[in-house]
Amino acid sequence: MSWILSIVVALLTGIAALFVAGVVASLCVDWYRISSFEGGSGYFVVFTALGGAIAGGFVGLVVARLIANGAHPGFLNALGASIGAVLLIGGLIAAVARLLADVPPTIDGQRLLLEVELRWPASGAPEPAALKGVGALTLGSSTIGHTRRVSRDGPLWMERASRVDGRWVVPGALEIFTNRGTRVLDMQAGDKRLAGFVLPMKGTPDRHRLEWSEWLPKARPGAAPLPDQFTYRFRVVKAESPLRVDSVGVFSIGTAVAYFYRSHPAEEFGASSTFRIGFGGKPVPGLQDVRAAAVVRESPAALLVEATDDGGETSCRLVLEDGGSVRIEIVAPGAGTALDAAPVTSDETLFRDAKARTTPRGWLDRGTYRVPGLFLLGDAVLDTRSMTVRRLTAASEFSIHTGVPPLGVSPDERSIIRYGYAESQTEKPALLVAPLDGGEAYTLPVDRARMRFVAEEELGPDWVQHHFEWVKGESGADRLTERRDFSPLPYRGRMTVESGDAHYYKLAPAGTALRTALEAFLVSEMKAERVDTESPAAYTHTMKVDGRLVQLSASDDSGYVMVSPDYAMTDQTVVDRIAERFDASLASGKYDSLFLK
């Protein structure tokens, strides 16, 4: 067989290897959960297939030349042997990849969750409510030698603890993410480990695991009873079956979970969930795909849901009990309206509480609407006292800062206040007064210098009421105007806590002059010591306060002074003490002239 035919064999084998490698790569995308973010999984398949084509061409050329020099040279023999080699290699690679992959087991084609109940000892253990931190379950897969190879977390719901036969029982759940290895189940609350067990379940659970197990561990037949300790039971739940069922008046809300997640170990678990709304034991028609649900009122029952109807239209809807039947009203059309809505209030306490509250996605929300009032959902305002919806009128040349909740409502409740920028320019902050009755929206500028306004974190109903007031207009409606005689609020620094729990205290608009005054304050009031030899104009100065190093950075160009901890510090409270003491001194007004105008 000639070299030309050998090259043809190599090309054809490369084409076959392209498809074989592409198929194996596609399987690996599922087996190893390769993300499609920014085309990651697609690139993986494409480049693996191209690599396979190159390797296949090389294999084809080598096999062709070997057969050409053998006892039975021939084009078809060479091509068959080359493609057979590619298929064999591809099959071996696929088999090894599948063997090493964490492939979730299924029943009836559905992914599985593990539902767990942890039972407290009869005595000697702290009650669930006394434990601090987020409750969590960890399912680990151990290899030979009992080394945990990989694990996943899920919630242990301490707030759902109940007393059963005099002992606390706490439910939890997590995803069964692999059919490999020995499964080890750990339970903890915050940093405190409660218990750990080897889960007696095969890689792919049998159907009898859909029922609750016995309480484990248990004594062997004929052995002495086990000591008083934590025990547990478990069952397998199909992903499309409700993991939790809540009742709100006449409604039942089943929560089916696909998987759990949280972005930080200290945060509560969120979930990718769908909700099944039932009424009188039957599904509510028109709510085909509910991705979020919140309780608006217990009696008569009212829910807020993000749902898709029979026609495929997604919207935010109000689901109401109405004299023995169900009434559904559209609040905000289109997808993407978050149900953890901001209250529209002039009460500073309600405003701050709502702003600080975090609502994990994927669960029935019982907290957002617990105080009846007005709530902003997209361009609609829902009044949960009367269950009525009104639409906002916005200004065309105003850019709303969506990260700032509504800052107040007029006394006649005919207008609400939003914050943003006039003409889409961030250097021109302003308030938008948006009417709810179809009137004309108008804006009021925020004077940064006179109002000593630095950052959006300062804004709230009290800030607005300090600088502005409602007066009756000619039409009888309340109209917002700037107060002529307001006194400037004291300057204050801003505390932030970033990743790694580092505390920072920032003063703005300020520069090196205020830093010099701050250093003198620390020396005289907190017995601080200067420990560096940098020039007064250096960007960062280092001082020792309460035996700990802190850095004071200043920039006249950027207009700030920053107090930050030394990178090696584990105790960050010294920065908090500096902030508390210096803010109190700033309230006297003695440093006002050192802030930049």
Side-chain angles (χ1 to χ4, degrees):
M1 186 172 61
S2 67
W3 270 96
I4 292 177
L5 289 178
S6 296
I7 293 173
V8 172
V9 169
L11 290 174
L12 293 175
T13 306
I15 293 173
L18 175 77
F19 288 101
V20 171
V23 170
V24 173
S26 298
L27 292 172
C28 288
V29 166
D30 293 331
W31 293 341
Y32 291 89
R33 302 186 187 184
I34 298 175
S35 173
S36 61
F37 178 69
E38 294 185 348
S41 58
Y43 286 123
F44 172 78
V45 173
V46 169
F47 285 112
T48 301
L50 291 175
I54 295 171
F58 177 75
V59 169
L61 184 61
V62 170
V63 172
R65 294 316 300 162
L66 290 173
I67 290 180
N69 295 322
H72 302 285
F75 175 78
L76 293 179
N77 286 341
L79 181 61
S82 299
I83 292 178
V86 165
L87 292 174
L88 178 61
I89 293 171
L92 289 174
I93 292 174
V96 172
R98 174 62 179 81
L99 184 64
L100 297 178
D102 288 307
V103 179
T106 61
I107 293 178
D108 297 331
Q110 295 186 37
R111 297 271 296 275
L112 305 175
L113 300 173
L114 188 72
E115 188 175 4
V116 178
E117 288 186 345
L118 179 63
R119 185 170 65 176
W120 256 234
S123 61
E127 295 186 358
L131 296 171
K132 297 182 179 180
V134 176
L137 298 172
T138 300
L139 182 64
S141 174
S142 297
T143 57
I144 298 174
H146 304 290
T147 300
R148 180 184 292 180
R149 182 181 53 82
V150 66
S151 64
R152 294 286 190 279
D153 293 340
L156 184 63
W157 292 297
M158 296 293 182
E159 71 279 7
R160 295 172 71 91
S162 61
R163 299 278 287 187
V164 179
D165 297 331
R167 299 171 69 171
W168 286 107
V169 176
V170 177
L174 37 65
E175 179 187 4
I176 304 177
F177 65 94
T178 183
N179 59 4
R180 289 184 60 198
T182 300
R183 263 72 70 87
V184 178
L185 189 62
D186 286 300
M187 294 87 162
Q188 59 267 353
D191 296 331
K192 181 178 177 59
R193 184 174 184 270
L194 301 175
F197 308 97
V198 175
L199 192 67
M201 187 174 71
K202 296 192 303 184
T204 299
D206 295 326
R207 286 185 174 275
H208 79 275
R209 291 300 185 191
L210 296 172
E211 303 296 331
W212 283 106
S213 71
E214 301 177 276
W215 288 103
L216 302 170
K218 63 176 184 177
R220 295 177 180 176
L226 295 177
D228 187 27
Q229 62 179 325
F230 282 100
T231 52
Y232 77 105
R233 66 175 185 165
F234 70 94
R235 68 176 176 178
V236 171
V237 179
K238 298 178 185 179
E240 294 181 6
S241 300
L243 183 63
R244 284 166 48 169
V245 178
D246 295 273
S247 296
V248 179
V250 294
F251 293 111
S252 64
I253 301 95
T255 305
V257 176
Y259 59 86
F260 303 98
Y261 64 87
R262 57 177 175 176
S263 56
H264 189 276
E267 293 181 354
E268 295 184 40
F269 285 88
S272 175
S273 305
T274 55
F275 298 86
R276 297 175 184 175
I277 313 300
F279 178 80
K282 297 180 180 180
V284 175
L287 303 180
Q288 301 302 109
D289 185 13
V290 179
R291 294 293 175 177
V295 179
V296 177
R297 187 176 62 194
E298 292 281 350
S299 181
L303 305 173
L304 201 63
V305 301
E306 180 187 327
T308 302
D309 61 18
D310 297 332
E313 294 295 326
T314 300
S315 59
C316 172
R317 304 169 188 214
L318 195 60
V319 183
L320 302 164
E321 176 191 358
D322 187 9
S325 61
V326 179
R327 177 163 53 92
I328 301 177
E329 297 181 5
I330 294 180
V331 176
T337 300
L339 299 191
D340 50 345
V344 183
T345 179
S346 295
D347 185 304
E348 183 76 14
T349 300
L350 288 178
F351 176 87
R352 295 295 172 189
D353 287 348
K355 193 173 181 181
R357 184 173 61 247
T358 57
T359 304
R361 297 280 294 175
W363 310 114
L364 179 65
D365 179 1
R366 290 183 175 272
T368 296
Y369 302 93
R370 69 185 189 283
V371 178
L374 303 177
F375 294 85
L376 180 65
L377 292 136
D379 64 349
V381 172
L382 169 66
D383 188 339
T384 63
R385 300 163 299 186
S386 60
M387 297 298 163
T388 55
V389 178
R390 291 183 285 172
R391 304 290 167 187
L392 287 174
T393 302
S396 59
E397 296 185 356
F398 189 87
S399 176
I400 293 175
H401 191 313
T402 56
V404 178
L407 296 174
V409 58
S410 62
D412 59 10
E413 295 191 349
R414 294 169 64 178
S415 300
I416 74 170
I417 305 171
R418 301 303 311 271
Y419 168 79
Y421 314 108
E423 302 173 2
S424 301
Q425 299 182 36
T426 57
E427 67 270 16
K428 294 184 178 180
L431 300 181
L432 169 70
V433 182
L436 297 173
D437 55 5
E440 183 178 355
Y442 58 95
T443 62
L444 296 167
V446 173
D447 190 325
R448 285 188 180 273
R450 289 186 60 237
M451 298 176 183
R452 297 179 175 178
F453 175 69
V454 178
E456 288 77 18
E457 290 85 351
E458 305 167 18
L459 296 172
D462 284 357
W463 186 95
V464 171
Q465 292 171 27
H466 183 85
H467 299 98
F468 299 87
E469 63 180 336
W470 294 99
V471 297
K472 288 292 183 184
E474 294 181 358
S475 64
D478 293 323
R479 189 171 182 86
L480 192 67
T481 62
E482 182 181 320
R483 295 184 187 272
R484 296 181 177 273
D485 56 351
F486 69 81
S487 300
L489 293 170
Y491 285 108
R492 290 181 59 85
R494 287 187 294 127
M495 282 294 303
T496 58
V497 180
E498 298 186 358
S499 59
D501 294 331
H503 293 208
Y504 297 91
Y505 176 55
K506 186 174 183 179
L507 297 151
T512 53
L514 183 62
R515 178 177 63 181
T516 300
L518 174 57
E519 290 173 345
F521 172 85
L522 294 176
V523 171
S524 63
E525 300 296 327
M526 300 186 71
K527 311 304 179 186
E529 304 173 23
R530 293 184 174 88
V531 298
D532 60 21
T533 58
E534 299 287 345
S535 69
Y539 173 68
T540 300
H541 292 178
T542 302
M543 301 188 75
K544 182 178 287 187
V545 182
D546 293 344
R548 293 175 174 82
L549 297 179
V550 294
Q551 296 178 336
L552 283 71
S553 306
S555 172
D556 290 328
D557 293 334
S558 299
Y560 69 85
V561 174
M562 178 82 78
V563 180
S564 56
D566 182 79
Y567 72 93
M569 282 175 52
T570 56
D571 181 6
Q572 305 282 312
T573 58
V574 64
V575 179
D576 300 350
R577 292 195 295 275
I578 291 172
E580 181 181 3
R581 297 281 295 275
F582 197 61
D583 274 349
S585 188
L586 287 174
S588 68
K590 62 187 294 187
Y591 300 106
D592 286 1
S593 62
L594 301 180
F595 282 84
L596 304 179
K597 304 302 181 184

